[in-house]
Amino acid sequence: MAVASLRQKYASLLSSSPDGNAAEALRAQLAMLNHVMARETAITCNNYLRNGPDALSMPDQDFLTDMDKIGATLFHAFGAAKKSGLAAASASDEDWSLLADAFINAGGTPTEMNAIANVSPEFEGLCPAVAKLYTSALSLQGEPGRHVKTTLLYEIARN
């Protein structure tokens, strides 16, 4: 609970995080999601996306290692943001359009986009769709990529 409280407290810093730190933190989120998809049912994975690690009944050592990596990379991103001097920036409509294009190019569908936007618990393919979204975000370069990654991380960290 203390870590969750710190994540929420410092989440707003993420919009000033350098791209490398944001990418590292988003890759850790993707690794954990891939691990959950490989080990758990679609329902449990969907619950993980909505409720975080509490959705996992008995996290094994591998899950705990992934969770530690998530925490470490987020805190590195917080620290880098404090020191970066980069202007805080949220993703613009144009940035989201670039992400949508990358998502479609990665095989994503409008149905998956809608399920992600609504965090639809009944959509069985939610976890693979979110994995495609994270992968697509990681493929974006430059300022649009930084904006999308840091905005995604902000939403993950504050919830």
Side-chain angles (χ1 to χ4, degrees):
M1 288 180 59
V3 171
S5 177
L6 288 171
R7 274 190 4 237
Q8 291 170 352
K9 180 178 179 180
Y10 293 110
S12 63
L13 289 174
L14 290 170
S15 63
S16 297
S17 186
D19 189 57
N21 296 92
E24 179 185 33
L26 192 56
R27 275 193 295 275
Q29 296 287 336
L30 178 59
M32 179 66 176
L33 182 57
N34 283 329
H35 194 156
V36 172
M37 283 191 300
R39 294 260 185 97
E40 300 289 340
T41 66
I43 291 169
T44 300
C45 193
N46 287 358
N47 286 335
Y48 167 75
L49 288 174
R50 286 194 345 267
N51 304 317
D54 291 341
L56 307 173
S57 57
M58 217 31 194
D60 64 15
Q61 187 58 44
D62 290 338
F63 282 135
L64 295 175
T65 300
D66 284 344
M67 284 186 242
D68 285 347
K69 180 139 182 141
I70 285 172
T73 59
L74 274 176
F75 282 97
H76 286 150
F78 295 146
K82 283 182 96 170
K83 296 176 185 174
S84 76
L86 291 171
S90 296
S92 67
D93 288 344
E94 185 177 310
D95 298 334
W96 290 120
S97 291
L98 291 171
L99 178 62
D101 291 344
F103 182 78
I104 296 296
N105 289 337
T109 67
T111 301
E112 289 173 320
M113 279 190 212
N114 187 47
I116 292 167
N118 297 307
V119 192
S120 301
E122 66 281 348
F123 185 74
E124 269 194 45
L126 184 61
C127 283
V130 171
K132 280 184 216 168
L133 179 76
Y134 290 173
T135 301
S136 298
L138 287 165
S139 75
L140 296 178
Q141 301 297 312
E143 282 301 297
R146 182 177 79 88
H147 298 164
V148 166
K149 289 171 208 145
T150 58
T151 302
L152 286 173
L153 287 173
Y154 168 75
E155 291 300 326
I156 292 167
R158 76 178 184 94
N159 291 318

